[in-house]
Amino acid sequence: MQCYTELTPPTAATHTLSLPFLSASANNLVVAKTSLLQVFSLKSVLADSNVTSENSAEFRRASTTLPGSSNTVTGTFPRGEKAPTTKLVLIAQYELSGVVTSLARIKILKSKSGGEALLVSVRNAKVSLVEWDPERYSISTISIHLYEREDVQGSPWEPDADDSTSYLSVDPRSRCAAFKFSARQLAILPFYQQGDDLVMDDYDPDLDGERPERHESHPKSAEEDKPDDRTPYGASFVVSMLVLDPTLVHPVHLAFLHQYREPTFGVLSSQVASSTSLLHERHDNLTYTVITLDLEQRASTALLSVNNLPYDMFRILPLRLPIGGALLIGGNELIHVDQAGKTNGVAVNEFAKTSTSFPLADQSDLGFRLEGCIVEQLGHESSELLLILGNGELAIVGFKIDGRSVSGLTVRQVPEQNGGSLLLARPSSTSLVGRGRMFVGSEEADSVILGWSRRLDKLKRQRSSIDVGADDDLDMSDMEEDIDDDDDLYSSAKAEDKTKELVAISETPDESDDYRFRIHDRLENFGPIRNVALGKPLQTSSKDSRGDQNTGLELLTTSGRGRAGGLTTFHRQLDPRILESHLMPNVTRFWTVSVKKAFEVLGSARLTEDIHDYIITSTHSDDVLQSTAYSLTSSGLEEIKDTDFDPEAGISVDVGTLCNGSRVIQVLPSELRTFDADLGLAQIFPLSDEGTEIDPKIISASFADPCILLILDDGNIMVLRADESGDLDEVEQGHSLKTKGIKSGSLYEDSNDVFRLESDEEIEEVWGNILMFLLTVEGGLLIFRLSSLENWVYKAEGLSFLPPFLTPSFWVRRSQAKENLSEILVTELGDASHKAAYMILRSASNDVIIYQPYQSSAPGSPDLTLHFLKLSNPQFTKTSINSIYGDSEPSQREPMLAINDLSGYATVFLPGEAPTFIVKSASSPPQLISVREKYIRSTTRLRRRTSELGFAFIDHKGSINFAQLPADCQYHTGWVTRKIPLGEDVHALDYHEPTATYVVGVSHRVDFKLPEDETHPEWASEATSFLPQVEQGAIKLLHHVTWSMIDEYSLATAEVVMCIKTMNLEVSEISHERRSLVVVGTATIRGEDLPAQGRIYVFEVIPVVPEPDRPETGHKLKLIAKEEIKGAVTALSEIGTQGFLLAAQGQKCMVRGLKEDGTLLPVAFMDMQCYTTVAKELKGTGLCLMGDAFMGAWLAGYYEDPYQLRLFGKSPSHMEVLAADFLPDDKQLYLVIADADSNIHILQFDPEHPKSLSGHLLLPHTTFHTASFPTTLTLLPSRSPFPSPPSNPSHSTDPPPANPPPLSNPHNHNSLLLTSSTGSLSLLTSLTPSTHRTLSALQSHLQSTLPHPLGLNPKAFRYVEGRGARAGGEGLAGPRGGVVDGLVVRRWMDAGRWRWWGDEGMGIREAVGEGVGMMGGGLGVLR
């Protein structure tokens, strides 16, 4: 009984698409990250041209928002100058119950937003048509089309739909879409289009005669008399590609082409499968076929066919004008095919000559490897293409034009100084997002917006007199209006004139330095994650001075490939960087203010640059309440005494500034005091007149220059406004406001008019656009303009129901299920490039609810109305969980604090038992980041002139700490992450605790040349300069603090690190001395015809004299053992209690011991079958888990007297084990296995069960499908595996206890950490039976009630057996005992409060909180 939850979303961009989605004039980008769909808009800012990171200090200082649209052309700017830079702004994101395989844009007759629709195909032959719904500010599913029925499948031996490549291709005029699925099935989905029939756009009076009357033509519809009510698509049909053309036996790629009257696509295929090993028999076996469709007759016609193409062609790129035709991309060549079938090609390496007989121009000196490359046109009207190679290098593809046809291709590489090496790894997809800008998605590196410009236009281009329409077709009548007879069609002079008129293209390409590339923005990618390590965080000096102890472990993962390879640290909590600390145990609250000194010039007040920084504290000592003022200087805090500031006036409620920072306002419970820059008293504003029997008290305040909102304890409010002299006056209120009980309020200056509420422009010039948001006692929302408090401008009484979409008319009848809201705050969240207003609510149980305002019009009405969209927030705060179990709530909770500039972020801080930051970047949703502090009493902004902007807080010990956010960290995943680039592939890593270092196995590619061999004298005559590449590994030592490499051990050519483990091994059979050693397993792969070899290295990290000015270089790797192995060493683990190691070597798993002479003595072994991927021991038990990549999982036991490995049980069926680990749960032992189909199999070892055959079979408990390809499974320890080290940790003669306690506590609910190739982290947690039953029932209810994006079924997505899996199904768990889908359960709060099932809602909430508590307990070991 487990629960699967994604901790972080996938970050690897698999598919991208640019289209006008939100409106007809919008410029949006849709990015698919496996099962995550994101919608972005583009925004231009001014930033330094050499700054590419949005979170760098240079960008924060230089960025300035540009007015107007985002279609700014990027020019060439010298280094250091500001340039228009395009940034991505997230509009919405959706977690899908499916894996996206393709994206396409489509024009439909009528969309809700006026923009285009989006076609999304997912795995298992599903296609969804969605549009943007402005009324709900979300995507809306129009239809979903399923093509996974058995009657459309081919022969029985063909692969299933989920095992075949599926993708979409759309006609340029949106007349139809083609969906290729299964082996050779093609689904055609027609779309209705307004206007003439399919040939009208290419009408030519000379060829077609008199132009007929315009009429609407579309595929036949059942309701032709109601065109507005019909669906935007016609009935789809499925056809085998063999019916289209019998030669399409093995289709390679398909794409629709431009400049055709009918929907026409090109297909790259072969009659026999391509094979490199059979190249001498299957030489040039591919065929390019152009097929046109007749949608009404459901027929097709083959227009042309180009045969004998190279075997390695893999993609068709349709080209727009002025080139036209299609570009065929192969591994060694590029071939252009025009509409008449004329071909021109170019070879980009030496292997093209030997692999094909197709005529190609020779540019083999380039030495390009085109596998995995992407080619994109440099603009919709450009005649040049951008070629992005698999290693990220850039090249320009040009065309030679002869008359109206292409006569040749040229390829030139972009030099490094012009940005030719900006991209670091293989791209996955590209999309043009504007003039001179392209989004490049990647699964192996960060996805970026790549911009380019040209310094000088040496080549003059004249705009063609031919009108190129949106469909990219030419009007033939305009082109030939000057042609009088047929002879002119073949006149060379006329042809030359037409060529000049069309486009002037030189036969010699431009100089490559004309194009200069730079990166505008990036989306961080942490995938692919190959390995993880748990390390012990080091204590910083600031923490030591405060006496705090670092608890928990640090998670370090590998990320990226090739030049983008590196490491990434993941922290659950934010560890602020403490600048200084001051112990003040009696301080309960405090505020920092920066005041500008004013002086009069000719009767008018002006502000000087002389700024005074003060700290105002409220202290509670021996029943004495007072306030104290301190001056904040570079040397520390100095108490201010000789001023008008009176400490005996009482405790402060709030402190702020008005009048452009020239007045300090001290809010006391019964009065307000105004001070100047020198803390001279300027005014005392009493709350009530003398003689009043009951004086109300101020409980909170909100500032918005020049106004203050006061919330009183009797439910009333008071609004004050400062005049030009700084004096406060009360603003008159209307009768409707006085009768309302107000619980909380917030002022917000809507400078960008986001809320767009009615106002008087003349009054607004005086008052400003300041809005007052009030939370009533009944849970309603009232919005007033401070310029007129007579009547509200917006009212929503149903706010406490927490609806997904809040409107003024929303209300739930016959329901009292309201949330007890306690606080409201309206402020901006974002970073330096983009900030947006949000309404943040906090409940009595400390839940945080975030609403985003947007404008929408009702159907049939042009008037816009303010609506609020509730953002998904699945996180439970610690205080919220405690309140579920009855913990008392603080009587007076510290209010939320908005910080407008904290290291470039506009954030909100929530103090208390669970201190939390709400952080948002432009390209991510708001995230709740907890702070690693037990309790924070109070917090405030830090406006210190001597340092960067930060914050200050009072911890649980009563110390005032000045802090900043940690440098170079990201927060867009909900975790605190930091990338450490290494520039190499990282295969394995582990933490060496005695020296606080990481041992990392890396590799890089080197050219391979045949060695000198007497038996092969022909090897010496190898004359090729285009050498193959192999990996060469190395073992590096990484310092934990500086993250720099301090030592390296190089391996042989073609030798790669497979695994690294730090073990406490016995190094002497006589003294039984133990040392913490690093064991490395490697593999040497020398080709398909030679067996793999391996080695086991044993290193000791020894102290040495550090290098000058580099104190971190005080350790080195010392090799103490090296063993040659027959077969690759693929897995390592410590085993037993005597300091031995378990190694998976070739087809054996062997237990070895280290001897004094540096050899590894084998003591026990077990034969495996194919390829061992996993070999682990459950610490302290002797149970071993072995996983085979083809045969399944084995459970064995290790005995020390005598030494032997004994098989206990096997998996009941074959499965591809990629990762596996133990999952103890109370008295049950489960084995969790991840296979190559992204499935998680949970097996149980139960010898007493009759179906287990006395334990010989591992019982299949349940199977669960994940969206991401799994890479590692790690059992998280319930306590730190790194105890306090002895005085000499590297040389300890004391053996560990005979039966050490396991790191996984069997009486607790353990958790498994899963990593994936998409960069996501997931958690598999054990649940109690009662919690599992409740969450399973909640999951079933949510699956049937909540709307699911794209119309996908989350239950069918997770269920494995119905998808034709070879292993899995429900198993012993049954339909109700399977894995709970945390992706569905955590959406429980997305529904309205009235859907929490009345009184039963608290029981559900308790179960959800208990499940969250169990998951938090599993993650508690992580810092």
Side-chain angles (χ1 to χ4, degrees):
M1 291 172 286
Q2 298 82 19
C3 178
Y4 174 85
T5 306
E6 287 189 358
L7 302 176
T8 62
T11 57
T14 56
H15 302 84
T16 62
L17 180 67
S18 176
L19 78 164
F21 194 50
L22 270 63
S23 64
S25 60
N27 185 14
N28 300 116
L29 177 70
V30 178
V31 178
K33 300 177 179 179
T34 311
S35 60
L36 183 68
L37 190 69
Q38 294 180 316
V39 181
F40 295 92
S41 64
L42 292 106
K43 179 181 180 181
S44 290
V45 298
L46 280 179
D48 288 346
S49 58
N50 59 315
V51 177
T52 59
S53 175
E54 64 174 283
N55 294 301
S56 61
E58 292 87 351
F59 176 80
R60 291 195 297 269
R61 289 192 292 265
S63 61
T64 305
T65 303
L66 282 179
S69 65
S70 61
N71 294 326
T72 305
V73 181
T74 303
T76 303
F77 298 87
R79 181 177 179 88
E81 292 188 7
K82 291 185 177 181
T85 303
T86 301
K87 296 294 178 179
L88 292 173
V89 178
L90 181 67
I91 301 298
Q93 71 176 23
Y94 306 94
E95 295 174 329
L96 307 178
S97 298
V99 178
V100 177
T101 60
S102 187
L103 297 174
R105 55 189 290 184
I106 196 78
K107 293 180 181 179
I108 59 178
L109 285 176
K110 185 179 180 180
S111 64
K112 296 179 180 179
S113 64
E116 297 184 6
L118 176 67
L119 270 177
V120 184
S121 67
V122 297
R123 194 178 295 170
N124 299 336
K126 297 183 179 70
V127 179
S128 295
L129 177 64
V130 297
E131 63 178 344
W132 183 258
D133 188 357
E135 185 178 357
R136 303 181 71 86
Y137 205 72
S138 177
I139 60 174
S140 175
T141 303
I142 301 176
S143 62
I144 182 171
H145 308 266
L146 309 179
Y147 301 102
E148 54 182 349
R149 304 188 311 272
E150 294 181 359
D151 57 343
V152 300
Q153 297 295 327
S155 56
W157 52 82
E158 287 186 358
D160 296 334
D162 55 346
D163 295 330
S164 303
T165 303
S166 61
Y167 52 88
L168 280 167
S169 184
V170 176
D171 175 60
R173 299 186 189 177
S174 299
R175 293 168 291 189
C176 68
F179 177 57
K180 188 266 177 186
F181 65 99
S182 293
R184 54 185 64 88
Q185 297 294 330
L186 193 64
I188 305 298
L189 181 59
F191 287 90
Y192 301 114
Q193 295 299 331
Q194 190 76 27
D196 299 334
D197 60 16
L198 297 179
V199 301
M200 279 295 101
D201 290 339
D202 284 315
Y203 169 75
D204 190 325
D206 295 335
L207 301 177
D208 303 327
E210 184 178 357
R211 188 182 186 99
E213 295 182 359
R214 301 176 65 89
H215 64 279
E216 182 179 353
S217 176
H218 51 78
K220 295 181 180 180
S221 173
E223 299 181 357
E224 294 185 357
D225 56 337
K226 297 180 180 180
D228 293 337
D229 296 336
R230 67 170 182 261
T231 59
Y233 53 88
S236 64
F237 57 94
V238 177
V239 61
S240 174
M241 299 187 73
L242 294 177
V243 176
L244 300 178
D245 194 315
T247 63
L248 306 181
V249 180
H250 298 279
V252 177
H253 193 246
L254 175 148
F256 276 94
L257 305 177
H258 299 274
Q259 298 91 44
Y260 282 93
R261 297 182 178 183
E262 301 287 344
T264 304
F265 58 86
V267 182
L268 196 62
S269 64
S270 65
Q271 292 188 355
V272 293
S274 300
S275 175
T276 305
S277 59
L278 300 176
L279 190 59
H280 59 285
E281 296 181 1
R282 302 178 182 180
H283 195 65
D284 295 342
N285 60 328
L286 291 185
T287 301
Y288 173 70
T289 307
V290 177
I291 300 174
T292 183
L293 296 176
D294 187 344
L295 299 179
E296 294 186 357
Q297 302 298 327
R298 295 187 176 183
S300 63
T301 304
L303 299 182
L304 62 89
S305 180
V306 180
N307 302 317
N308 301 325
L309 292 174
Y311 81 103
D312 57 353
M313 313 296 294
F314 60 88
R315 189 187 175 194
I316 302 173
L317 176 66
L319 299 178
R320 304 178 183 89
L321 291 176
I323 303 172
L327 182 69
L328 309 183
I329 306 172
N332 305 311
E333 64 281 319
L334 299 173
I335 298 176
H336 177 265
V337 183
D338 62 10
Q339 290 181 333
K342 179 184 176 181
T343 60
N344 292 276
V346 58
V348 296
N349 59 49
E350 295 182 7
F351 282 113
K353 302 177 183 179
T354 59
S355 63
T356 180
S357 300
F358 195 87
L360 299 170
D362 186 12
Q363 281 193 263
S364 57
D365 57 317
L366 292 172
F368 286 169
R369 293 174 170 87
L370 299 183
E371 293 82 2
C373 74
I374 286 185
V375 183
E376 187 70 49
Q377 210 161 343
L378 284 169
H380 295 294
E381 300 179 1
S382 175
S383 60
E384 293 181 316
L385 310 178
L386 177 64
L387 170 62
I388 307 176
L389 299 177
N391 59 2
E393 295 181 354
L394 305 180
I396 303 297
V397 180
F399 294 87
K400 299 179 181 179
I401 304 297
D402 184 9
R404 298 180 182 176
S405 62
V406 175
S407 61
L409 283 77
T410 59
V411 182
R412 62 186 188 275
Q413 189 171 6
V414 178
E416 184 177 357
Q417 61 269 22
N418 288 355
S421 301
L422 285 177
L423 305 182
L424 302 179
R426 174 178 301 183
S428 61
S429 59
T430 57
S431 294
L432 290 173
V433 294
R435 296 182 60 186
R437 291 164 299 172
M438 178 188 301
F439 181 82
V440 182
S442 178
E443 300 181 59
E444 302 176 357
D446 294 344
S447 300
V448 301
I449 291 184
L450 185 67
W452 63 88
S453 60
R454 308 193 73 167
R455 293 183 298 177
L456 293 175
D457 284 334
K458 299 180 181 179
L459 181 63
K460 302 298 183 181
R461 284 184 169 83
Q462 302 174 356
R463 298 191 62 87
S464 173
S465 60
I466 303 173
D467 183 15
V468 180
D471 56 0
D472 298 321
D473 286 349
L474 294 179
D475 191 339
M476 301 299 295
S477 61
D478 292 337
M479 176 179 283
E480 300 178 359
E481 62 182 359
D482 295 331
I483 301 178
D484 297 330
D485 49 38
D486 294 340
D487 293 337
D488 292 336
L489 292 175
Y490 305 96
S491 171
S492 59
K494 291 289 185 179
E496 292 177 0
D497 294 340
K498 292 301 177 181
T499 303
K500 294 179 180 179
E501 182 179 351
L502 177 64
V503 60
I505 301 180
S506 175
E507 292 187 359
T508 58
D510 293 341
E511 295 292 336
S512 58
D513 60 359
D514 284 348
Y515 284 97
R516 300 180 63 88
F517 294 87
R518 68 184 182 98
I519 293 178
H520 290 233
D521 198 4
R522 65 178 66 245
L523 296 180
E524 293 281 349
N525 175 27
F526 305 122
I529 299 177
R530 297 183 179 181
N531 209 337
V532 298
L534 299 176
K536 185 178 180 180
L538 293 182
Q539 297 181 355
T540 60
S541 58
S542 59
K543 287 289 182 182
D544 293 340
S545 63
R546 295 169 54 214
D548 291 345
Q549 297 294 330
N550 285 305
T551 59
L553 301 179
E554 179 181 61
L555 178 62
L556 185 68
T557 70
T558 65
S559 62
R561 284 180 179 170
R563 292 185 296 135
L567 304 173
T568 302
T569 61
F570 285 85
H571 295 114
R572 290 193 307 124
Q573 298 177 324
L574 187 149
D575 191 6
R577 185 164 62 95
I578 306 299
L579 303 178
E580 58 182 89
S581 181
H582 305 273
L583 182 61
M584 295 183 177
N586 297 325
V587 175
T588 57
R589 294 185 64 184
F590 75 117
W591 301 264
T592 60
V593 291
S594 297
V595 194
K596 300 178 182 179
K597 192 170 184 179
F599 66 99
E600 292 189 1
V601 177
L602 300 178
S604 61
R606 296 186 179 181
L607 299 179
T608 65
E609 297 299 329
D610 186 11
I611 300 177
H612 298 266
D613 296 326
Y614 298 110
I615 286 185
I616 311 297
T617 64
S618 293
T619 58
H620 187 184
S621 176
D622 299 331
D623 296 332
V624 177
L625 304 178
Q626 63 179 4
S627 300
T628 309
Y630 295 89
S631 176
L632 184 59
T633 62
S634 58
S635 59
L637 298 180
E638 298 179 2
E639 184 177 354
I640 301 176
K641 298 182 179 180
D642 299 332
T643 61
D644 295 337
F645 189 88
D646 186 9
E648 306 298 331
I651 193 170
S652 299
V653 177
D654 205 343
V655 178
T657 60
L658 292 180
C659 301
N660 199 17
S662 62
R663 286 289 187 268
V664 178
I665 310 299
Q666 182 188 15
V667 181
L668 301 172
S670 58
E671 64 182 19
L672 280 77
R673 296 193 175 191
T674 304
F675 300 91
D676 58 15
D678 297 325
L679 293 186
L681 184 62
Q683 182 189 10
I684 297 179
F685 188 93
L687 191 63
S688 60
D689 298 334
E690 297 180 0
T692 305
E693 296 181 359
I694 301 177
D695 295 334
K697 302 297 182 181
I698 302 175
I699 59 176
S700 64
S702 179
F703 291 82
D705 201 2
C707 301
I708 311 175
L709 169 63
L710 305 177
I711 308 298
L712 309 182
D713 57 358
D714 59 357
N716 293 321
I717 68 169
M718 179 180 293
V719 180
L720 306 179
R721 183 174 185 271
D723 56 17
E724 296 181 356
S725 62
D727 295 335
L728 297 177
D729 295 321
E730 183 177 0
V731 180
E732 296 183 2
Q733 303 178 18
H735 177 72
S736 60
L737 184 58
K738 294 181 179 180
T739 59
K740 295 287 184 180
I742 305 302
K743 184 181 293 187
S744 177
S746 175
L747 296 182
Y748 175 72
E749 185 175 2
D750 191 10
S751 57
N752 296 324
D753 198 19
V754 176
F755 295 91
R756 300 182 186 177
L757 299 174
E758 55 184 17
S759 63
D760 190 339
E761 295 182 359
E762 296 182 358
I763 300 179
E764 186 177 340
E765 293 180 358
V766 179
W767 283 81
N769 193 12
I770 301 179
L771 301 177
M772 179 174 64
F773 295 78
L774 300 178
L775 177 64
T776 64
V777 177
E778 293 81 9
L781 172 66
L782 296 175
I783 303 179
F784 289 83
R785 284 195 177 275
L786 291 190
S787 57
S788 176
L789 298 181
E790 295 292 333
N791 295 306
W792 42 264
V793 294
Y794 187 86
K795 181 180 180 181
E797 296 182 348
L799 176 63
S800 58
F801 290 106
L802 303 181
F805 301 92
L806 179 63
T807 61
S809 60
F810 178 83
W811 185 260
V812 179
R813 298 181 180 180
R814 297 185 299 274
S815 177
Q816 300 297 325
K818 294 184 178 181
E819 182 71 10
N820 184 12
L821 300 177
S822 61
E823 188 178 355
I824 184 174
L825 175 64
V826 180
T827 185
E828 290 184 345
L829 297 176
D831 55 14
S833 60
H834 178 75
K835 298 178 182 179
Y838 292 88
M839 181 173 67
I840 304 173
L841 306 172
R842 187 156 62 156
S843 65
S845 57
N846 206 36
D847 286 334
V848 177
I849 303 98
I850 304 176
Y851 276 93
Q852 177 183 359
Y854 69 95
Q855 300 291 330
S856 176
S857 60
S861 175
D863 298 332
L864 296 178
T865 308
L866 177 62
H867 294 68
F868 290 90
L869 171 67
K870 185 169 69 172
L871 302 183
S872 178
N873 177 27
Q875 303 183 26
F876 280 71
T877 59
K878 179 181 177 181
T879 309
S880 174
I881 298 176
N882 292 340
S883 63
I884 292 175
Y885 299 111
D887 290 2
S888 59
E889 183 183 356
S891 57
Q892 185 176 1
R893 187 162 51 191
E894 183 78 8
M896 296 182 289
L897 174 69
I899 305 177
N900 56 6
D901 191 357
L902 179 60
S903 299
Y905 291 97
T907 68
V908 172
F909 186 77
L910 285 73
E913 296 180 0
T916 305
F917 273 106
I918 303 179
V919 184
K920 183 189 183 305
S921 64
S923 58
S924 68
Q927 301 288 353
L928 272 67
I929 309 293
S930 60
V931 181
R932 197 182 61 86
E933 291 288 341
K934 295 181 180 179
Y935 180 80
I936 290 184
R937 301 180 187 176
S938 178
T939 185
T940 183
R941 311 170 186 87
L942 182 61
R943 304 181 180 91
R944 193 171 184 177
R945 292 172 293 171
T946 57
S947 63
E948 294 184 5
L949 297 177
F951 67 104
F953 64 91
I954 304 177
D955 58 18
H956 65 284
K957 296 182 179 181
S959 296
I960 295 182
N961 304 282
F962 298 159
Q964 291 179 351
L965 295 181
D968 302 327
C969 290
Q970 304 290 332
Y971 312 95
H972 60 272
T973 61
W975 288 48
V976 183
T977 59
R978 180 185 177 186
K979 296 188 71 173
I980 303 154
L982 300 180
E984 294 179 296
D985 273 325
V986 183
H987 299 274
L989 74 157
D990 204 2
Y991 178 70
H992 189 257
E993 189 270 338
T995 58
T997 56
Y998 284 98
V999 183
V1000 183
V1002 300
S1003 70
H1004 62 277
R1005 290 193 170 272
V1006 296
D1007 292 336
F1008 175 78
K1009 193 170 184 179
L1010 294 174
E1012 296 181 1
D1013 194 336
E1014 296 180 355
T1015 60
H1016 296 279
E1018 70 276 7
W1019 288 2
S1021 61
E1022 184 182 20
T1024 178
S1025 61
F1026 189 64
L1027 297 174
Q1029 291 186 330
V1030 296
E1031 290 183 298
Q1032 181 176 4
I1035 304 168
K1036 295 187 177 183
L1037 195 63
L1038 179 68
H1039 192 259
H1040 192 183
V1041 177
T1042 61
W1043 300 109
S1044 60
M1045 292 298 174
I1046 58 179
D1047 193 20
E1048 179 177 356
Y1049 183 87
S1050 298
L1051 302 178
T1053 303
E1055 186 178 9
V1056 182
V1057 175
M1058 302 295 292
C1059 49
I1060 295 178
K1061 292 295 179 182
T1062 301
M1063 306 179 189
N1064 189 18
L1065 299 182
E1066 182 182 278
V1067 297
S1068 174
E1069 297 177 290
I1070 301 175
S1071 62
H1072 301 289
E1073 178 186 356
R1074 296 284 190 90
R1075 294 182 189 177
S1076 181
L1077 304 177
V1078 179
V1079 184
V1080 181
T1082 67
T1084 303
I1085 303 174
R1086 298 172 293 176
E1088 300 177 355
D1089 55 339
L1090 296 176
Q1093 299 293 326
R1095 293 188 179 96
I1096 297 179
Y1097 297 86
V1098 181
F1099 293 93
E1100 182 181 4
V1101 183
I1102 61 173
V1104 296
V1105 178
E1107 299 176 4
D1109 301 328
R1110 293 193 65 192
E1112 69 273 10
T1113 58
H1115 295 92
K1116 295 289 184 182
L1117 290 171
K1118 178 184 178 182
L1119 181 64
I1120 62 175
K1122 178 180 177 181
E1123 189 80 12
E1124 300 282 345
I1125 302 295
K1126 292 183 179 180
V1129 181
T1130 56
L1132 293 169
S1133 176
E1134 189 174 355
I1135 190 171
T1137 61
Q1138 299 180 354
F1140 291 170
L1141 65 90
L1142 174 66
Q1145 51 185 68
Q1147 295 178 332
K1148 294 181 182 294
C1149 282
M1150 191 169 293
V1151 179
R1152 293 176 175 268
L1154 183 63
K1155 300 178 64 177
E1156 288 91 340
D1157 57 358
T1159 59
L1160 293 172
L1161 177 66
V1163 297
F1165 73 94
M1166 177 179 288
D1167 288 325
M1168 304 300 291
Q1169 293 190 3
C1170 295
Y1171 181 85
T1172 306
T1173 56
V1174 178
K1176 293 182 179 180
E1177 184 212 20
L1178 185 60
K1179 190 75 172 180
T1181 64
L1183 294 174
C1184 300
L1185 173 61
M1186 289 87 160
D1188 193 280
F1190 300 97
M1191 306 305 295
W1194 294 7
L1195 179 65
Y1198 171 66
Y1199 295 86
E1200 295 181 343
D1201 190 15
Y1203 296 116
Q1204 62 175 323
L1205 282 172
R1206 181 180 300 176
L1207 179 64
F1208 286 169
K1210 291 184 178 182
S1211 57
S1213 59
H1214 296 328
M1215 59 180 66
E1216 300 170 290
V1217 180
L1218 298 183
D1221 210 331
F1222 295 94
L1223 183 61
D1225 184 12
D1226 198 10
K1227 297 182 179 181
Q1228 305 294 327
L1229 178 61
Y1230 295 99
L1231 283 70
V1232 181
I1233 299 171
D1235 66 9
D1237 293 328
S1238 302
N1239 298 326
I1240 295 177
H1241 305 266
I1242 300 179
L1243 308 179
Q1244 183 179 2
F1245 177 65
D1246 187 2
E1248 299 179 358
H1249 198 283
K1251 292 185 178 181
S1252 68
L1253 303 180
S1254 300
H1256 287 80
L1257 289 181
L1258 301 175
L1259 301 176
H1261 187 71
T1262 186
T1263 303
F1264 186 81
H1265 180 72
T1266 65
S1268 302
F1269 189 79
T1271 53
T1272 64
L1273 283 171
T1274 306
L1275 177 63
L1276 295 179
S1278 57
R1279 59 180 178 85
S1280 176
F1282 308 123
S1284 299
S1287 58
N1288 192 2
S1290 299
H1291 300 79
S1292 175
T1293 59
D1294 297 333
N1299 295 308
L1303 295 180
S1304 57
N1305 191 344
H1307 301 288
N1308 292 336
H1309 298 278
N1310 297 298
S1311 299
L1312 277 177
L1313 180 68
L1314 292 82
T1315 62
S1316 69
S1317 60
T1318 61
S1320 63
L1321 302 178
S1322 304
L1323 192 71
L1324 187 67
T1325 308
S1326 300
L1327 301 177
T1328 61
S1330 59
T1331 303
H1332 185 271
R1333 286 192 298 268
T1334 305
L1335 294 184
S1336 297
L1338 175 62
Q1339 171 184 280
S1340 300
H1341 178 80
L1342 295 177
Q1343 286 174 344
S1344 59
T1345 56
L1346 287 180
H1348 303 292
L1350 305 187
L1352 301 175
N1353 187 351
K1355 184 176 181 180
F1357 172 61
R1358 299 299 188 185
Y1359 190 66
V1360 175
E1361 188 177 24
R1363 295 150 47 91
R1366 290 171 291 276
E1370 295 175 357
L1372 299 178
R1376 294 185 177 272
V1379 179
V1380 177
D1381 188 359
L1383 185 66
V1384 176
V1385 172
R1386 68 184 184 184
R1387 293 185 59 194
W1388 172 60
M1389 294 189 67
D1390 292 355
R1393 181 63 175 86
W1394 75 96
R1395 294 186 181 272
W1396 293 5
W1397 302 284
D1399 296 337
E1400 298 178 1
M1402 185 53 65
I1404 299 292
R1405 182 187 183 90
E1406 182 176 345
V1408 175
E1410 184 179 352
V1412 173
M1414 291 178 182
M1415 289 184 287
L1419 287 175
V1421 69
L1422 296 183
R1423 178 182 172 185

